[in-house]
Amino acid sequence: METGKMHVGVIGAGAISDIYLKNMTEVFDQLEVIGVAANHIESAQKKAAQYQIKAYTVDEMLADPAIEMVVVLTPVGTHYDLIRRALFAGKHVYTEKTITDDPEKAKELLELADEKGLGLASAPDTFLGSALQTARRAIDNGLIGDIHSFVISGNRKNDILLSIFAFLRQPGAGILYDYAVYYMTALVSLLGPVKRVAGVIGRPYPTHLNIMPQSPDFGKVMDTPNESQVSAILQLENGVTGTLHIDADSNLSDTAFFALYGTKGILYLTDANQFGGTVKYLPDSVDYRKPAQPVELWSYTPFSGNSRGVGPADLADAVMEKRPCRASKEMAYHVLEVLTGILNGGENGAFTDILSTCEKPAPLPVRSIGARNIGHASFNMKNVDAMKAFYKNALGMKEHFTLTFGDLAAAIRRSLEAADRGEKTLSDSEARERALMEERVRGMEARKEEKWLTYFKLADGQFMELFYPNSSMVRSIENRKENYGYFKRNYEVRSIEELRARLLENGVSIDEDIHTTIDGAREIMVHDPDGNEVQFTEYPKGEAARISMPEIPEGHSISFVEYTTQVAYQVKDAVNMENFYCLGLGLKKVFTLHYTDLLAAMEASGKADPQMLMGMRMMGDRAWIDYIEVAPHQYIELFHTDGQELKEDRDLADSFGYQHLCIEVEDIEAAWKAVTENGLTPEGKPRRGVDGSWQFWLVDPDGNRLELMQYTENSRQLG
């Protein structure tokens, strides 16, 4: 086997083969498709020419030692024989759903795969799509609490589908095996295996008239013996109960309903036959007078389009990594037994115990951006001299380097010239954008001696980025606590008393003197000359520490503070904000303070308003502050704002004060790949910035701008 590659042959050249072949040849790097086989060699030759691969008969493919895995895309009635032959030929196998049309045959194949030490997996792999993976993460993170029940309802239009697809009229291709399999696989992947089932099965139309003019059987009456309606009750091994209802004699447009009911809310899922779609979370209301509004969850995998092939790709990875695959044969067999139990129970009018079980497949991994530091926090200065004096004199930061508008213009012009050398013909909109950028550059060149920004260094890898005022900055946000988004930052210090004395020596007013916070830290708060809130934190040591941190290295800091230890945001979309930083960037939530913690502190103070205390009690154990770790000693704080209506001011380009946050990463290309594989969409690919560092940009769900940066040997920060 070529390192990192699984050599694949596809058996079946029907309609479904195109999306598999396209994705397996273009999307999934771990797969190398060698050829395609079909009952009719002409069909295989046509597909082979289309995808520039080899055409085989089935016998030839199974005999070819270059083929390591076969992907079976034929009707379910052929699966048993083809999978059995492939396993005896020493091939790993991935098959379209269902694994077979008979649990006994499927069990034989499972035993054969184990005996041969070969991988065997089965569709549907839609549970690996962005929608169901988003739901899985929400469930695992306890978003809706303890889940007690579920409802699934779907519909199809057999008049049309039976006329188009002849295989749906074959045994084993009724609504349960062909369509309910998507929902049952999704359900088991989310909540675990089924314990027992009961159902009522309907076959109201034993024949259908072929209504498709393109069909060779147009106008003929077709025998359609398979079930087309099902109503079932299921009890899972974990005690969760629910219903499954599907009607294939209804609308063509699927109006899928898939809901999970929990103690903290309801999760509304999407059509399990699709990879993408919308997942909504309806939280339990804090106040019955204000009904909660549903939250659409961001998706954190890239598989939102038709991603068939992700199942074979995962099987290939599983074989190479010697781990269980996600679309496992055990889950496929269990789902087949459940569907058969519903079918037989519908015939017999009784509950059926499900004898098999399986493990829930692991969710798709979250890629990490490889964060090293909070690289810098950026601010637009209003009172330049006073701001520079505060950070340089009061806090001891070093004025590290300054860039001018001339530096910025030169960097942009180099980028434009590089694009021009690409000799790409520009569209009209691109040409207009190019002309506009050229005009901007000329404006910058006219001001080339003016200062654009200055970097202040506080410690190894940590900076303040201060932008000089210009004509576009026309307003100040007086009280950021009234707004969603950024509102403060904290610097860690070794001794809060020494820092306090330092501030007073430099004439800095103390706005909130030394006090102990709910998390056990000791803090002091001031405002810098532009009115930005700045806190200084001395963390508790030993058993009193709520967050475990390594010792601060000697010589780490060159200033009177050690780290930019907290950058705090008041969040509007709390669920998606946490998911963005944890699932989108691969950072870790290390600690949460709850409203119960805040309530206890308020009650202990004896100063709280009774109405406020009542409000805190209503919040219960909901999260108040989440601490997202960027690196040791460095956190993004997400303050929840349940029940509050704050201002929303996302565009900060024309305002003084906070502008953006930068996270330093180990490898910018790896970070870009990680966020895209996690389902995020950066603002363009990595590019070299004016300071010589690599960078790209993201915007979080609340609209806060985030820069990811990798320093290079030419980075001014390292000079």
PDB file of all heavy atoms in Angstrom, residues 326-354:
ATOM      1  N   ARG A 326     -16.104   4.174  11.530  1.00  0.00           N
ATOM      2  CA  ARG A 326     -17.324   4.765  12.068  1.00  0.00           C
ATOM      3  C   ARG A 326     -18.583   4.128  11.481  1.00  0.00           C
ATOM      4  O   ARG A 326     -19.544   3.889  12.200  1.00  0.00           O
ATOM      5  CB  ARG A 326     -17.294   6.286  11.858  1.00  0.00           C
ATOM      6  CG  ARG A 326     -16.214   6.952  12.717  1.00  0.00           C
ATOM      7  CD  ARG A 326     -16.099   8.449  12.457  1.00  0.00           C
ATOM      8  NE  ARG A 326     -15.244   9.091  13.449  1.00  0.00           N
ATOM      9  CZ  ARG A 326     -13.918   9.154  13.382  1.00  0.00           C
ATOM     10  NH1 ARG A 326     -13.281   8.616  12.333  1.00  0.00           N
ATOM     11  NH2 ARG A 326     -13.220   9.736  14.337  1.00  0.00           N
ATOM     12  N   ALA A 327     -18.594   3.891  10.179  1.00  0.00           N
ATOM     13  CA  ALA A 327     -19.747   3.218   9.555  1.00  0.00           C
ATOM     14  C   ALA A 327     -19.552   1.710   9.691  1.00  0.00           C
ATOM     15  O   ALA A 327     -19.505   0.964   8.711  1.00  0.00           O
ATOM     16  CB  ALA A 327     -19.876   3.639   8.098  1.00  0.00           C
ATOM     17  N   SER A 328     -19.459   1.240  10.927  1.00  0.00           N
ATOM     18  CA  SER A 328     -18.995  -0.117  11.209  1.00  0.00           C
ATOM     19  C   SER A 328     -19.999  -1.184  10.778  1.00  0.00           C
ATOM     20  O   SER A 328     -21.206  -0.944  10.700  1.00  0.00           O
ATOM     21  CB  SER A 328     -18.720  -0.265  12.709  1.00  0.00           C
ATOM     22  OG  SER A 328     -19.936  -0.253  13.439  1.00  0.00           O
ATOM     23  N   LYS A 329     -19.465  -2.359  10.547  1.00  0.00           N
ATOM     24  CA  LYS A 329     -20.310  -3.499  10.201  1.00  0.00           C
ATOM     25  C   LYS A 329     -21.234  -3.855  11.349  1.00  0.00           C
ATOM     26  O   LYS A 329     -22.378  -4.301  11.137  1.00  0.00           O
ATOM     27  CB  LYS A 329     -19.443  -4.697   9.803  1.00  0.00           C
ATOM     28  CG  LYS A 329     -18.532  -5.261  10.885  1.00  0.00           C
ATOM     29  CD  LYS A 329     -17.661  -6.377  10.320  1.00  0.00           C
ATOM     30  CE  LYS A 329     -16.843  -7.091  11.410  1.00  0.00           C
ATOM     31  NZ  LYS A 329     -15.861  -6.179  12.054  1.00  0.00           N
ATOM     32  N   GLU A 330     -20.789  -3.659  12.590  1.00  0.00           N
ATOM     33  CA  GLU A 330     -21.627  -3.960  13.746  1.00  0.00           C
ATOM     34  C   GLU A 330     -22.839  -3.030  13.810  1.00  0.00           C
ATOM     35  O   GLU A 330     -23.955  -3.479  14.104  1.00  0.00           O
ATOM     36  CB  GLU A 330     -20.813  -3.857  15.034  1.00  0.00           C
ATOM     37  CG  GLU A 330     -19.765  -4.931  15.212  1.00  0.00           C
ATOM     38  CD  GLU A 330     -18.478  -4.663  14.437  1.00  0.00           C
ATOM     39  OE1 GLU A 330     -18.324  -3.530  13.904  1.00  0.00           O
ATOM     40  OE2 GLU A 330     -17.622  -5.574  14.347  1.00  0.00           O
ATOM     41  N   MET A 331     -22.626  -1.751  13.546  1.00  0.00           N
ATOM     42  CA  MET A 331     -23.760  -0.825  13.536  1.00  0.00           C
ATOM     43  C   MET A 331     -24.682  -1.135  12.352  1.00  0.00           C
ATOM     44  O   MET A 331     -25.915  -1.082  12.492  1.00  0.00           O
ATOM     45  CB  MET A 331     -23.277   0.629  13.477  1.00  0.00           C
ATOM     46  CG  MET A 331     -24.418   1.639  13.544  1.00  0.00           C
ATOM     47  SD  MET A 331     -23.904   3.353  13.821  1.00  0.00           S
ATOM     48  CE  MET A 331     -23.136   3.742  12.236  1.00  0.00           C
ATOM     49  N   ALA A 332     -24.106  -1.444  11.203  1.00  0.00           N
ATOM     50  CA  ALA A 332     -24.922  -1.766  10.028  1.00  0.00           C
ATOM     51  C   ALA A 332     -25.777  -3.003  10.291  1.00  0.00           C
ATOM     52  O   ALA A 332     -26.969  -3.049   9.926  1.00  0.00           O
ATOM     53  CB  ALA A 332     -24.019  -1.991   8.817  1.00  0.00           C
ATOM     54  N   TYR A 333     -25.183  -4.019  10.934  1.00  0.00           N
ATOM     55  CA  TYR A 333     -25.948  -5.230  11.254  1.00  0.00           C
ATOM     56  C   TYR A 333     -27.053  -4.918  12.264  1.00  0.00           C
ATOM     57  O   TYR A 333     -28.193  -5.373  12.120  1.00  0.00           O
ATOM     58  CB  TYR A 333     -25.019  -6.309  11.803  1.00  0.00           C
ATOM     59  CG  TYR A 333     -25.769  -7.513  12.314  1.00  0.00           C
ATOM     60  CD1 TYR A 333     -26.267  -8.467  11.426  1.00  0.00           C
ATOM     61  CD2 TYR A 333     -26.005  -7.697  13.670  1.00  0.00           C
ATOM     62  CE1 TYR A 333     -26.988  -9.574  11.879  1.00  0.00           C
ATOM     63  CE2 TYR A 333     -26.724  -8.791  14.135  1.00  0.00           C
ATOM     64  CZ  TYR A 333     -27.209  -9.727  13.240  1.00  0.00           C
ATOM     65  OH  TYR A 333     -27.920 -10.804  13.688  1.00  0.00           O
ATOM     66  N   HIS A 334     -26.714  -4.136  13.293  1.00  0.00           N
ATOM     67  CA  HIS A 334     -27.705  -3.783  14.317  1.00  0.00           C
ATOM     68  C   HIS A 334     -28.875  -3.022  13.695  1.00  0.00           C
ATOM     69  O   HIS A 334     -30.049  -3.324  13.990  1.00  0.00           O
ATOM     70  CB  HIS A 334     -27.039  -2.936  15.396  1.00  0.00           C
ATOM     71  CG  HIS A 334     -27.969  -2.491  16.475  1.00  0.00           C
ATOM     72  ND1 HIS A 334     -28.480  -3.350  17.434  1.00  0.00           N
ATOM     73  CD2 HIS A 334     -28.519  -1.264  16.735  1.00  0.00           C
ATOM     74  CE1 HIS A 334     -29.284  -2.682  18.241  1.00  0.00           C
ATOM     75  NE2 HIS A 334     -29.330  -1.415  17.842  1.00  0.00           N
ATOM     76  N   VAL A 335     -28.594  -2.050  12.839  1.00  0.00           N
ATOM     77  CA  VAL A 335     -29.653  -1.281  12.186  1.00  0.00           C
ATOM     78  C   VAL A 335     -30.510  -2.199  11.316  1.00  0.00           C
ATOM     79  O   VAL A 335     -31.748  -2.087  11.295  1.00  0.00           O
ATOM     80  CB  VAL A 335     -29.048  -0.128  11.364  1.00  0.00           C
ATOM     81  CG1 VAL A 335     -30.088   0.487  10.429  1.00  0.00           C
ATOM     82  CG2 VAL A 335     -28.475   0.942  12.292  1.00  0.00           C
ATOM     83  N   LEU A 336     -29.870  -3.111  10.604  1.00  0.00           N
ATOM     84  CA  LEU A 336     -30.623  -4.055   9.773  1.00  0.00           C
ATOM     85  C   LEU A 336     -31.542  -4.919  10.637  1.00  0.00           C
ATOM     86  O   LEU A 336     -32.710  -5.158  10.279  1.00  0.00           O
ATOM     87  CB  LEU A 336     -29.658  -4.938   8.977  1.00  0.00           C
ATOM     88  CG  LEU A 336     -30.297  -6.001   8.079  1.00  0.00           C
ATOM     89  CD1 LEU A 336     -31.168  -5.354   7.006  1.00  0.00           C
ATOM     90  CD2 LEU A 336     -29.227  -6.893   7.445  1.00  0.00           C
ATOM     91  N   GLU A 337     -31.055  -5.369  11.804  1.00  0.00           N
ATOM     92  CA  GLU A 337     -31.900  -6.176  12.692  1.00  0.00           C
ATOM     93  C   GLU A 337     -33.080  -5.348  13.219  1.00  0.00           C
ATOM     94  O   GLU A 337     -34.205  -5.853  13.329  1.00  0.00           O
ATOM     95  CB  GLU A 337     -31.086  -6.729  13.862  1.00  0.00           C
ATOM     96  CG  GLU A 337     -31.909  -7.693  14.710  1.00  0.00           C
ATOM     97  CD  GLU A 337     -31.224  -8.121  15.998  1.00  0.00           C
ATOM     98  OE1 GLU A 337     -30.067  -7.736  16.229  1.00  0.00           O
ATOM     99  OE2 GLU A 337     -31.875  -8.838  16.789  1.00  0.00           O
ATOM    100  N   VAL A 338     -32.825  -4.076  13.527  1.00  0.00           N
ATOM    101  CA  VAL A 338     -33.903  -3.202  14.008  1.00  0.00           C
ATOM    102  C   VAL A 338     -34.971  -3.037  12.923  1.00  0.00           C
ATOM    103  O   VAL A 338     -36.179  -3.165  13.195  1.00  0.00           O
ATOM    104  CB  VAL A 338     -33.338  -1.831  14.425  1.00  0.00           C
ATOM    105  CG1 VAL A 338     -34.475  -0.843  14.706  1.00  0.00           C
ATOM    106  CG2 VAL A 338     -32.448  -1.968  15.651  1.00  0.00           C
ATOM    107  N   LEU A 339     -34.553  -2.751  11.704  1.00  0.00           N
ATOM    108  CA  LEU A 339     -35.512  -2.560  10.616  1.00  0.00           C
ATOM    109  C   LEU A 339     -36.294  -3.843  10.344  1.00  0.00           C
ATOM    110  O   LEU A 339     -37.512  -3.807  10.098  1.00  0.00           O
ATOM    111  CB  LEU A 339     -34.780  -2.108   9.353  1.00  0.00           C
ATOM    112  CG  LEU A 339     -34.049  -0.761   9.453  1.00  0.00           C
ATOM    113  CD1 LEU A 339     -33.281  -0.481   8.171  1.00  0.00           C
ATOM    114  CD2 LEU A 339     -35.015   0.368   9.748  1.00  0.00           C
ATOM    115  N   THR A 340     -35.593  -4.963  10.399  1.00  0.00           N
ATOM    116  CA  THR A 340     -36.263  -6.247  10.200  1.00  0.00           C
ATOM    117  C   THR A 340     -37.236  -6.529  11.339  1.00  0.00           C
ATOM    118  O   THR A 340     -38.328  -7.070  11.127  1.00  0.00           O
ATOM    119  CB  THR A 340     -35.223  -7.376  10.098  1.00  0.00           C
ATOM    120  OG1 THR A 340     -34.283  -7.068   9.060  1.00  0.00           O
ATOM    121  CG2 THR A 340     -35.890  -8.713   9.790  1.00  0.00           C
ATOM    122  N   GLY A 341     -36.839  -6.130  12.569  1.00  0.00           N
ATOM    123  CA  GLY A 341     -37.732  -6.298  13.714  1.00  0.00           C
ATOM    124  C   GLY A 341     -39.006  -5.487  13.565  1.00  0.00           C
ATOM    125  O   GLY A 341     -40.101  -5.954  13.908  1.00  0.00           O
ATOM    126  N   ILE A 342     -38.877  -4.271  13.058  1.00  0.00           N
ATOM    127  CA  ILE A 342     -40.066  -3.441  12.815  1.00  0.00           C
ATOM    128  C   ILE A 342     -40.943  -4.086  11.745  1.00  0.00           C
ATOM    129  O   ILE A 342     -42.172  -4.164  11.883  1.00  0.00           O
ATOM    130  CB  ILE A 342     -39.655  -2.023  12.392  1.00  0.00           C
ATOM    131  CG1 ILE A 342     -38.938  -1.304  13.538  1.00  0.00           C
ATOM    132  CG2 ILE A 342     -40.876  -1.219  11.941  1.00  0.00           C
ATOM    133  CD1 ILE A 342     -38.340   0.029  13.136  1.00  0.00           C
ATOM    134  N   LEU A 343     -40.299  -4.574  10.686  1.00  0.00           N
ATOM    135  CA  LEU A 343     -41.040  -5.204   9.591  1.00  0.00           C
ATOM    136  C   LEU A 343     -41.774  -6.450  10.077  1.00  0.00           C
ATOM    137  O   LEU A 343     -42.977  -6.615   9.832  1.00  0.00           O
ATOM    138  CB  LEU A 343     -40.066  -5.559   8.461  1.00  0.00           C
ATOM    139  CG  LEU A 343     -40.672  -6.091   7.163  1.00  0.00           C
ATOM    140  CD1 LEU A 343     -41.570  -5.056   6.518  1.00  0.00           C
ATOM    141  CD2 LEU A 343     -39.556  -6.512   6.208  1.00  0.00           C
ATOM    142  N   ASN A 344     -41.060  -7.311  10.811  1.00  0.00           N
ATOM    143  CA  ASN A 344     -41.687  -8.543  11.295  1.00  0.00           C
ATOM    144  C   ASN A 344     -42.721  -8.249  12.371  1.00  0.00           C
ATOM    145  O   ASN A 344     -43.768  -8.904  12.440  1.00  0.00           O
ATOM    146  CB  ASN A 344     -40.623  -9.490  11.843  1.00  0.00           C
ATOM    147  CG  ASN A 344     -39.709 -10.012  10.747  1.00  0.00           C
ATOM    148  OD1 ASN A 344     -40.064  -9.973   9.570  1.00  0.00           O
ATOM    149  ND2 ASN A 344     -38.540 -10.495  11.131  1.00  0.00           N
ATOM    150  N   GLY A 345     -42.419  -7.268  13.224  1.00  0.00           N
ATOM    151  CA  GLY A 345     -43.382  -6.908  14.254  1.00  0.00           C
ATOM    152  C   GLY A 345     -44.659  -6.369  13.660  1.00  0.00           C
ATOM    153  O   GLY A 345     -45.758  -6.594  14.182  1.00  0.00           O
ATOM    154  N   GLY A 346     -44.522  -5.656  12.556  1.00  0.00           N
ATOM    155  CA  GLY A 346     -45.704  -5.152  11.871  1.00  0.00           C
ATOM    156  C   GLY A 346     -46.547  -6.270  11.309  1.00  0.00           C
ATOM    157  O   GLY A 346     -47.780  -6.162  11.228  1.00  0.00           O
ATOM    158  N   GLU A 347     -45.882  -7.350  10.919  1.00  0.00           N
ATOM    159  CA  GLU A 347     -46.620  -8.511  10.414  1.00  0.00           C
ATOM    160  C   GLU A 347     -47.307  -9.262  11.557  1.00  0.00           C
ATOM    161  O   GLU A 347     -48.423  -9.759  11.422  1.00  0.00           O
ATOM    162  CB  GLU A 347     -45.651  -9.463   9.699  1.00  0.00           C
ATOM    163  CG  GLU A 347     -44.905  -8.840   8.531  1.00  0.00           C
ATOM    164  CD  GLU A 347     -45.786  -8.654   7.310  1.00  0.00           C
ATOM    165  OE1 GLU A 347     -46.950  -9.084   7.343  1.00  0.00           O
ATOM    166  OE2 GLU A 347     -45.309  -8.050   6.328  1.00  0.00           O
ATOM    167  N   ASN A 348     -46.604  -9.302  12.737  1.00  0.00           N
ATOM    168  CA  ASN A 348     -47.086 -10.150  13.837  1.00  0.00           C
ATOM    169  C   ASN A 348     -47.823  -9.379  14.919  1.00  0.00           C
ATOM    170  O   ASN A 348     -48.434  -9.980  15.802  1.00  0.00           O
ATOM    171  CB  ASN A 348     -45.894 -10.875  14.478  1.00  0.00           C
ATOM    172  CG  ASN A 348     -45.127 -11.709  13.466  1.00  0.00           C
ATOM    173  OD1 ASN A 348     -45.718 -12.269  12.548  1.00  0.00           O
ATOM    174  ND2 ASN A 348     -43.813 -11.793  13.632  1.00  0.00           N
ATOM    175  N   GLY A 349     -47.738  -8.033  14.875  1.00  0.00           N
ATOM    176  CA  GLY A 349     -48.424  -7.229  15.868  1.00  0.00           C
ATOM    177  C   GLY A 349     -47.863  -7.375  17.267  1.00  0.00           C
ATOM    178  O   GLY A 349     -48.626  -7.423  18.240  1.00  0.00           O
ATOM    179  N   ALA A 350     -46.542  -7.464  17.387  1.00  0.00           N
ATOM    180  CA  ALA A 350     -45.936  -7.665  18.704  1.00  0.00           C
ATOM    181  C   ALA A 350     -44.619  -6.915  18.793  1.00  0.00           C
ATOM    182  O   ALA A 350     -44.014  -6.554  17.781  1.00  0.00           O
ATOM    183  CB  ALA A 350     -45.706  -9.154  18.951  1.00  0.00           C
ATOM    184  N   PHE A 351     -44.173  -6.692  20.049  1.00  0.00           N
ATOM    185  CA  PHE A 351     -42.839  -6.140  20.257  1.00  0.00           C
ATOM    186  C   PHE A 351     -41.793  -7.197  19.911  1.00  0.00           C
ATOM    187  O   PHE A 351     -42.001  -8.399  20.129  1.00  0.00           O
ATOM    188  CB  PHE A 351     -42.649  -5.700  21.713  1.00  0.00           C
ATOM    189  CG  PHE A 351     -43.014  -4.260  21.953  1.00  0.00           C
ATOM    190  CD1 PHE A 351     -44.275  -3.932  22.421  1.00  0.00           C
ATOM    191  CD2 PHE A 351     -42.104  -3.237  21.707  1.00  0.00           C
ATOM    192  CE1 PHE A 351     -44.631  -2.612  22.646  1.00  0.00           C
ATOM    193  CE2 PHE A 351     -42.446  -1.918  21.926  1.00  0.00           C
ATOM    194  CZ  PHE A 351     -43.713  -1.591  22.401  1.00  0.00           C
ATOM    195  N   THR A 352     -40.678  -6.735  19.386  1.00  0.00           N
ATOM    196  CA  THR A 352     -39.562  -7.612  19.047  1.00  0.00           C
ATOM    197  C   THR A 352     -38.334  -7.166  19.811  1.00  0.00           C
ATOM    198  O   THR A 352     -37.954  -5.987  19.748  1.00  0.00           O
ATOM    199  CB  THR A 352     -39.267  -7.572  17.534  1.00  0.00           C
ATOM    200  OG1 THR A 352     -40.426  -8.002  16.819  1.00  0.00           O
ATOM    201  CG2 THR A 352     -38.081  -8.453  17.192  1.00  0.00           C
ATOM    202  N   ASP A 353     -37.706  -8.069  20.548  1.00  0.00           N
ATOM    203  CA  ASP A 353     -36.454  -7.754  21.221  1.00  0.00           C
ATOM    204  C   ASP A 353     -35.318  -7.788  20.209  1.00  0.00           C
ATOM    205  O   ASP A 353     -35.227  -8.710  19.383  1.00  0.00           O
ATOM    206  CB  ASP A 353     -36.175  -8.765  22.336  1.00  0.00           C
ATOM    207  CG  ASP A 353     -37.148  -8.634  23.497  1.00  0.00           C
ATOM    208  OD1 ASP A 353     -37.637  -7.501  23.721  1.00  0.00           O
ATOM    209  OD2 ASP A 353     -37.421  -9.644  24.158  1.00  0.00           O
ATOM    210  N   ILE A 354     -34.447  -6.795  20.290  1.00  0.00           N
ATOM    211  CA  ILE A 354     -33.281  -6.724  19.406  1.00  0.00           C
ATOM    212  C   ILE A 354     -32.111  -7.379  20.129  1.00  0.00           C
ATOM    213  O   ILE A 354     -31.731  -6.965  21.232  1.00  0.00           O
ATOM    214  CB  ILE A 354     -32.956  -5.264  19.041  1.00  0.00           C
ATOM    215  CG1 ILE A 354     -34.183  -4.603  18.413  1.00  0.00           C
ATOM    216  CG2 ILE A 354     -31.758  -5.206  18.109  1.00  0.00           C
ATOM    217  CD1 ILE A 354     -34.716  -5.289  17.172  1.00  0.00           C
TER     218      ILE A 354
END
